[in-house]
């Protein structure tokens, strides 16, 4: 596609429910990143994919968070048993190669009530 | 590991004032450096970049020079406009080091007429 596409753009969920956030990167981009931006905060790195593998999962805040990428393209970030502190904007970005400029999606605003 | 430090905000300037937002970094190898901008209600956009020492990135009247000797990448604009009001993020991409894109905490700029 022309840009990085994320869905849904907004998600309101009840505490304890599972959510899935989707990212469709720019076609041909091998690197894919997930970040979290909490209200008034900077960007918190969550996970990075090179192709389908995730060499760096160090940023995932707990074992309730997981992510996968299939076919070297679409990625899904899953949060199990959501908590109120998970409320944030989840940003996905892709780049042609590792370390190159990243292009960001519009983000998914997650609100846990 | 890699890190980026940028000046704390918020910064408030009058229209046509000179802008400097300081950014320094710590990294192994030879990283690429970026400035991203987030306008109110919008996603992150790449503003400018520099991929090697002494490179100057420029866009929309903004400039930043990659200074390896001072490990800096300060953002400047000679005459700001109200439409420049946004949050500015300095970032580092290091394919040879940590492959995540490392961001500063962001600096909020408000330009008043």
């Amino acid at each position: 596609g022309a840009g990085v596409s994320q869905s849904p753009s907004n998600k309101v969920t009840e505490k304890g429910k599972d959510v899935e956030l989707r990212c469709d990167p720019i076609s041909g981009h091998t690197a894919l990143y997930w970040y979290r931006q909490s209200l008034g905060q900077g960007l918190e790195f969550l996970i990075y994919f090179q192709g389908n593998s995730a060499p760096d999962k160090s940023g995932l805040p707990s074992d309730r968070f997981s992510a996968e990428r299939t076919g070297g393209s679409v990625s899904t970030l899953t949060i199990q048993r959501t908590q109120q502190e998970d409320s944030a904007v989840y940003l996905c970005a892709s780049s042609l190669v590792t370390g190159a400029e990243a292009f960001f999606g519009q983000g998914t605003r997650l609100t846990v009530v | 590991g890699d890190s980026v430090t940028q000046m704390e905000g918020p910064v408030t300037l009058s229209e046509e004032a000179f802008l400097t937002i300081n950014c320094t970094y710590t990294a192994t190898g030879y990283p690429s450096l970026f400035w991203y901008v987030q306008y109110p209600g919008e996603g992150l956009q790449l503003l400018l970049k520099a991929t090697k020492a002494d490179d100057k990135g420029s866009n929309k009247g903004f400039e930043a020079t990659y200074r390896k000797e001072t490990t800096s990448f300060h953002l400047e604009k000679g005459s700001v406009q109200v439409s420049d009001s946004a949050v500015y993020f300095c970032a580092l991409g290091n394919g040879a080091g940590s492959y995540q894109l490392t961001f500063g905490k962001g600096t909020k700029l408000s330009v008043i007429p």
Side-chain angles (χ1 to χ4, degrees), chain A residues 14-71:
Chain A
E14 292 181 352
K15 179 181 172 181
K17 300 283 191 183
D18 298 352
V19 295
E20 282 191 353
L21 312 180
R22 176 188 168 104
C23 173
D24 202 341
I26 293 173
S27 178
H29 280 196
T30 62
L32 185 147
Y33 310 82
W34 283 99
Y35 289 83
R36 178 167 72 175
Q37 187 175 27
S38 302
L39 186 63
Q41 300 297 310
L43 287 154
E44 176 187 9
F45 170 76
L46 298 178
I47 190 168
Y48 152 79
F49 287 91
Q50 176 60 43
N52 287 339
S53 65
D56 187 357
K57 301 181 181 180
S58 62
L60 294 177
S62 77
D63 58 8
R64 296 186 295 104
F65 287 72
S66 62
E68 64 176 14
R69 188 181 185 193
T70 54

Side-chain angles (χ1 to χ4, degrees), chain B residues 41-100:
Chain B
E42 298 187 14
L44 275 166
Q45 304 172 28
L46 179 68
L47 179 60
L48 53 83
K49 67 176 181 179
T51 57
K52 62 183 188 296
D54 299 326
D55 268 4
K56 177 185 283 188
S58 62
N59 186 25
K60 300 182 181 180
F62 290 88
E63 292 183 340
T65 301
Y66 188 161
R67 302 284 189 201
K68 193 165 177 64
E69 64 275 15
T70 54
T71 61
S72 65
F73 193 55
H74 304 321
L75 182 69
E76 296 182 337
K77 186 173 185 182
S79 176
V80 294
Q81 305 299 313
V82 172
S83 56
D84 295 326
S85 297
V87 181
Y88 293 82
F89 293 91
C90 185
L92 175 162
N94 194 351
S98 63
Y99 21 69
Q100 63 172 284

